[in-house]
Amino acid sequence: MKPQDCCVLIPSLSPDERLPAYVKDLLAAEFQLILVVDDGSKEEYQPIFEEIATWDRCQVLHHEVNRGKGAALRTGFAYIKEHTAIEGIITADSDGQHTVPDTLNLAAEMSEKEELLLGSRDFSKNSVQVPPKSRAGNRITSCVFRVLYGRWLPDTQTGLRAFRRSLIDFMLGVTGDRFEYEMNQLIHCAVKKVPMRPLPIDTVYHDENKGTHFHPIRDSWRIYKLLLGNFFKFISASCVSTVVDLLLFTLLGLVITFLPTHASFLGTTLDMNTLLCAIVARICSATVNFKLNQSFVFHLKKSSGAAGRYVILCGVVMIVSALSVSMLKTLLPFIHPTLIKGAVDLVLFFLNYRVQRVWVFPPENAVSA
């Protein structure tokens, strides 16, 4: 897509001279519109916005009070939808981290596809520009995102992103008013199967990123609350189901005493009353787990076929767990079987979450991400 078909949307709070310099360079690159959203900056910063507003192909919107980056982005998206016919939307930061050549590259890479392009910085050890805390934080977030949502995104915190006009309504529906909006955008795309394509960009940090408005504790909490929120719900549902299983097993053990005490099975003596208690308790707890995952974890509206898929998954997980523990016990005789089972079941727990999200409770039926 040509820059003449694109708008560059820049949310800004308390900018310095780098913002007008960046806007001038974008105008020279012939972008159709530069849309700046002043997110409640104080009076002393208004001359910068007033200057930009006088330039051709520039528009400045204002929030009376600081509402956050996510709110500023949605304000910009709504303006583009209601007042323009622009086909390409590029979001960029106002602190000088994004170069005009990289912005042009994202415009050029936009195709007819409905996808989210992500300008990805180099967070490898070879990049000397990246502050250590930024490198560590981004790598951890990328790994967590990969485990929970199945996509490896080398830069989950990039503000340089691009998409076509057809995705504006989708982006307006993404929640989060502050920095967590951008993480929620990635989660929504992963859940709703909107393709995301990373593109390499220059890694630019000014004075170790000391001018950022990102609050390391408050905003990190908001981001990880979103990133891990559903998984913690999944853990909670599993804990509730385990408690139900143990309680029912105990209570049924006081009631079910009418079967023969012992029976022979494959040369092994079984306590039939205990076996029946275990089966009934597991069926009930699995039903509770299914219902909790359906409504509480994955917010499923419809459940057509979900129960059958859930039963199949439970059976597969049980078989894989038993076979894996048995094989590893043979290969690693010096490790206690309980430790082996714990490690195997932990891996299967993460896989179980992913499979339930993608297959058992498919996202097209979900109320939200």
Side-chain angles (χ1 to χ4, degrees):
M1 186 178 294
K2 296 179 181 179
Q4 293 88 344
D5 300 318
C6 296
C7 167
V8 180
L9 168 59
I10 307 174
S12 182
L13 173 64
S14 307
D16 57 24
E17 70 282 354
R18 289 173 294 186
L19 175 59
Y22 183 47
V23 172
K24 284 182 180 179
D25 290 341
L26 291 171
L27 290 172
E30 299 186 345
F31 283 97
Q32 181 181 151
L33 174 66
I34 312 302
L35 178 59
V36 177
V37 180
D38 165 25
D39 188 28
S41 301
K42 294 180 180 179
E43 189 64 31
E44 59 262 35
Y45 297 98
Q46 293 310 308
I48 294 177
F49 296 111
E50 292 168 2
E51 179 187 12
I52 293 173
T54 64
W55 299 340
D56 290 339
R57 292 184 284 124
C58 287
Q59 176 70 46
V60 178
L61 307 177
H62 297 274
H63 287 169
E64 292 299 322
V65 296
N66 176 250
R67 292 167 52 189
K69 187 177 184 181
L73 287 170
R74 283 199 300 273
T75 294
F77 296 155
Y79 180 90
I80 295 168
K81 176 184 176 181
E82 296 168 9
H83 298 282
T84 79
I86 291 173
E87 280 299 319
I89 297 94
I90 301 172
T91 65
D93 294 341
S94 64
D95 56 4
Q97 287 197 26
H98 302 139
T99 68
V100 173
D102 285 332
T103 311
L104 283 168
N105 185 47
L106 258 68
E109 286 288 336
M110 267 192 281
S111 64
E112 296 299 321
K113 293 181 180 179
E114 287 193 344
E115 62 179 351
L116 177 64
L117 302 181
L118 302 168
S120 294
R121 295 160 291 182
D122 180 9
F123 284 98
S124 69
K125 294 181 180 179
N126 298 326
S127 179
V128 296
Q129 294 232 25
V130 182
K133 64 177 182 180
S134 297
R135 177 184 288 112
N138 206 290
R139 274 289 174 256
I140 291 171
T141 306
S142 294
C143 290
V144 173
F145 196 91
R146 175 70 177 87
V147 169
L148 296 183
Y149 296 97
R151 289 296 310 273
W152 174 254
L153 302 177
D155 186 355
T156 58
Q157 297 167 19
T158 179
L160 188 61
R161 306 179 180 198
F163 56 89
R164 295 188 64 85
R165 183 185 186 87
S166 56
L167 281 174
I168 284 185
D169 286 335
F170 178 86
M171 299 304 178
L172 282 168
V174 176
T175 57
D177 285 342
R178 299 193 176 273
F179 284 98
E180 75 275 10
Y181 173 87
E182 290 173 320
M183 176 56 68
N184 215 10
Q185 187 183 68
L186 302 181
I187 292 173
H188 273 66
C189 287
V191 170
K192 300 297 184 180
K193 298 182 180 179
V194 175
M196 292 179 282
R197 182 155 58 102
L199 297 170
I201 62 173
D202 287 340
T203 304
V204 181
Y205 278 92
H206 296 285
D207 197 19
E208 292 197 346
N209 211 26
K210 290 180 181 178
T212 180
H213 297 288
F214 184 88
H215 191 284
I217 297 177
R218 180 188 62 215
D219 291 318
S220 293
W221 162 249
R222 288 183 176 132
I223 289 172
Y224 276 93
K225 182 180 177 183
L226 278 174
L227 186 58
L228 297 173
N230 243 40
F231 186 64
F232 283 141
K233 288 182 179 180
F234 185 72
I235 293 174
S236 299
S238 298
C239 290
V240 170
S241 303
T242 299
V243 171
V244 169
D245 186 61
L246 293 174
L247 285 176
L248 277 177
F249 178 79
T250 303
L251 292 174
L252 289 171
L254 301 175
V255 177
I256 299 178
T257 58
F258 51 81
L259 293 177
T261 304
H262 295 95
S264 179
F265 179 74
L266 298 178
T268 303
T269 301
L270 302 177
D271 186 314
M272 297 304 292
N273 288 307
T274 300
L275 179 62
L276 181 59
C277 291
I279 293 173
V280 173
R282 181 52 58 90
I283 291 173
C284 293
S285 65
T287 302
V288 170
N289 185 255
F290 172 80
K291 290 296 183 182
L292 285 174
N293 286 344
Q294 175 185 310
S295 59
F296 175 63
V297 180
F298 299 109
H299 310 289
L300 198 69
K301 284 182 179 180
K302 304 172 184 178
S303 58
S304 177
R309 292 191 293 271
Y310 179 83
V311 170
I312 292 172
L313 178 62
C314 288
V316 170
V317 169
M318 181 178 64
I319 293 171
V320 171
S321 175
L323 291 176
S324 298
V325 172
S326 178
M327 290 171 60
L328 289 173
K329 179 62 179 71
T330 303
L331 295 172
L332 306 170
F334 49 88
I335 299 179
H336 195 280
T338 301
L339 296 177
I340 294 176
K341 179 172 172 54
V344 168
D345 287 351
L346 180 62
V347 172
L348 289 176
F349 187 76
F350 283 99
L351 291 175
N352 199 353
Y353 173 78
R354 287 276 313 283
V355 174
Q356 288 198 38
R357 171 181 283 284
V358 174
W359 183 59
V360 178
F361 304 107
E364 58 267 21
N365 293 328
V367 177
S368 67

